[in-house]
Amino acid sequence: VTITLASSQLTSGTNVIAAEVHQNASTSGDLTWDMRLSANPAGIPVLTTGPYLQKATPTSMLVRWYTDEPVDSKVMYGTSPGNLFQSVTVPGSETNHFVQLTNLTPYTKYYYSIGTSITTLQSGTENYFLTSPLPNTNTKFTFWVTGDMGDGSMRQLNVLNAFNTYMG
């Protein structure tokens, strides 16, 4: 559930937000709770989904994300998280954003940020991708393929921890 409040509905100083969650049975383990409060100045969109990556090739990557209001799209990128010196801006107002990055170097790690022509919505060292190697390149890969994502149980967390331990 997403609830949007106008700033006029809040007071200057302390505001209290109360939330209530009900579980059908005390022995059930499927209850989860996640709450986020975010404030955005007028005209600055909220990132609702993503970013996520699609259509990776040795020389290109498609970066996608969604916002709560239509705005233009901008991706800044580079091979160092502190030096995103290249950018692609897609004009027009969209909530479903997709930006194609091209002329990339094969098998290279790129860092990126997403946003609009006037603001960055997300950036950081966790925003990166590795372009694919050229065809017929001999290299090693590790894959982790999962099916059912589970139910948030301790057993599921143990699988994640085992994978992270294995990968170092």
Side-chain angles (χ1 to χ4, degrees):
V1 175
T2 301
I3 300 170
T4 303
L5 300 174
S7 59
S8 61
Q9 293 177 284
L10 300 172
T11 62
S12 205
T14 302
N15 290 268
V16 177
I17 298 174
E20 191 172 326
V21 179
H22 297 270
Q23 181 69 337
N24 190 28
S26 62
T27 57
S28 177
D30 63 351
L31 177 70
T32 60
W33 171 252
D34 183 19
M35 182 175 172
R36 177 177 56 185
L37 175 65
S38 57
N40 286 50
I44 303 297
V46 173
L47 179 64
T48 59
T49 304
Y52 55 97
L53 307 168
Q54 292 181 327
K55 298 184 179 180
T57 76
T59 59
S60 68
M61 182 66 72
L62 180 65
V63 183
R64 298 195 63 178
W65 70 95
Y66 290 85
T67 55
D68 68 334
E69 61 183 75
V71 289
D72 64 354
S73 311
K74 183 175 182 179
V75 173
M76 297 186 67
Y77 62 100
T79 54
S80 168
N83 188 18
L84 306 180
F85 63 95
Q86 295 175 284
S87 68
V88 175
T89 302
V90 177
S93 294
E94 300 289 338
T95 57
N96 179 5
H97 305 270
F98 49 98
V99 176
Q100 183 76 38
L101 307 181
T102 58
N103 299 316
L104 304 175
T105 304
Y107 206 49
T108 301
K109 188 174 191 175
Y110 285 90
Y111 295 88
Y112 67 94
S113 69
I114 61 163
T116 73
S117 57
I118 60 171
T119 191
T120 299
L121 299 176
Q122 187 183 86
S123 66
T125 57
E126 69 282 353
N127 283 31
Y128 68 89
F129 61 85
L130 182 66
T131 52
S132 303
L134 290 170
N136 301 317
T137 300
N138 290 327
T139 188
K140 293 183 178 184
F141 292 94
T142 301
F143 293 90
W144 182 27
V145 180
T146 61
D148 182 354
M149 297 308 291
D151 57 5
S153 67
M154 184 53 72
R155 193 172 66 214
Q156 181 184 3
L157 183 59
N158 289 341
V159 170
L160 174 62
N161 290 337
F163 174 78
N164 287 335
T165 299
Y166 175 78
M167 293 303 297

